[in-house]
Amino acid sequence: MKTWLVSLAAGLLAGALYAAADIHSPAPPVIALLGLFGMLVGEQIIPIARRLFSRQPLTLAWFRHECVPKISGTPPPAVATSDAEGRKLQR
């Protein structure tokens, strides 16, 4: 999350500098950014199809662990385990 905030702050600063210099930003329009998002999501079609063709279950936990990090750039979620006394632990 910190990386995202730094990136947003750098973008805001660059935008303010462009506006102060009365220059149009070279950043792509929103439609191009949606296209990039579509590419990230589209890359996950093959792993999903492979899983379905091999008759493995397509679960939300699998999707969160395998696909979401590749789309969002975040690390996979920690897997919760329990100790001998039944307390939940994070791995």
Side-chain angles (χ1 to χ4, degrees):
M1 180 78 162
K2 181 180 176 184
T3 306
W4 288 25
L5 293 175
V6 170
S7 180
L8 177 62
L12 290 172
L13 178 62
L17 291 174
Y18 276 110
D22 199 25
I23 301 172
H24 290 289
S25 170
V30 173
I31 199 77
L33 296 176
L34 285 173
L36 290 172
F37 178 71
M39 288 172 57
L40 289 171
V41 172
E43 285 179 353
Q44 304 313 308
I45 291 172
I46 299 300
I48 289 171
R50 284 183 184 148
R51 192 161 179 92
L52 290 174
F53 285 132
S54 66
R55 298 187 186 266
Q56 294 177 334
L58 188 61
T59 62
L60 186 57
W62 175 85
F63 185 80
R64 283 184 181 158
H65 190 267
E66 294 296 322
C67 298
V68 171
K70 294 173 185 168
I71 294 170
S72 66
T74 59
V79 178
T81 58
S82 58
D83 63 5
E85 295 159 3
R87 294 178 295 199
K88 286 190 175 183
L89 303 172
Q90 294 291 326
R91 273 193 337 177

